[in-house]
Amino acid sequence: MLVEGDDHNEPIADAVRGILDGHVVLDRSIAERGRYPPVNVLRSVSRTMPACNTERENAVVDRARRLIAVYEDMAELIRLGAYRRGSDPAVDEAIRYYPNLEEFLRQQKPERTTLDEGYALLEQVIDMPAAAEPAAEETAP
């Protein structure tokens, strides 16, 4: 559903958002930065996605969203040079990963990635430690 003037609190948009599984929020400021599709990851929601994902996939998404949220909370101070590295380890980590996350979220029209490839790429972008291999069951001879 498109909302005129980006008014997400408009009564009809609010009612539809409550009925649907979730929503994708396109953000004009992201488009103005040249990232397409201009999806605002923090404001976009799916209630069923966590149930469709593995625990590992949910952990990857949660970590990526946290890094973006921390960066965006401090973005103004970072841009103004008012944030000093070393002041907050979470912000330092977000500053380190944010450019790669932005690049990961950028997509050209002909570009195609499977869901599994997307999760694998995102794991690399945010340096998620490799998932532990399930222990092989030992059988007695």
Side-chain angles (χ1 to χ4, degrees):
M1 175 173 85
L2 293 176
V3 179
E4 186 175 346
D6 299 333
D7 182 7
H8 296 276
N9 293 322
E10 188 267 333
I12 295 174
D14 198 39
V16 169
R17 205 171 40 244
I19 295 168
L20 299 176
D21 161 55
H23 52 276
V24 174
V25 176
L26 301 179
D27 190 319
R28 186 180 323 275
S29 66
I30 293 172
E32 289 168 352
R33 290 195 317 251
R35 177 166 58 84
Y36 295 97
V39 175
N40 184 321
V41 174
L42 300 178
R43 294 186 64 202
S44 298
V45 177
S46 172
R47 288 188 285 274
T48 60
M49 186 183 83
C52 298
N53 283 348
T54 64
E55 285 183 40
R56 174 71 176 177
E57 291 166 342
N58 284 328
V60 170
V61 170
D62 290 345
R63 175 165 161 71
R65 288 176 65 94
R66 272 193 312 277
L67 289 166
I68 293 169
V70 168
Y71 184 91
E72 299 221 349
D73 284 346
M74 297 296 291
E76 194 66 30
L77 292 176
I78 294 166
R79 277 192 288 274
L80 293 172
Y83 175 77
R84 290 183 310 158
R85 287 187 188 257
S87 302
D88 183 333
V91 176
D92 292 343
E93 182 181 40
I95 290 170
R96 177 176 171 220
Y97 289 107
Y98 190 79
N100 292 335
L101 282 165
E102 277 288 296
E103 188 58 35
F104 172 80
L105 293 171
R106 185 180 315 275
Q107 182 178 4
Q108 301 299 318
K109 284 183 181 183
E111 204 173 330
R112 300 287 182 266
T113 305
T114 67
L115 189 59
D116 289 338
E117 291 169 339
Y119 278 113
L121 287 169
L122 184 55
E123 283 184 27
Q124 291 174 4
V125 165
I126 60 176
D127 290 335
M128 281 287 283
E133 291 293 322
E137 292 183 301
E138 293 183 29
T139 57

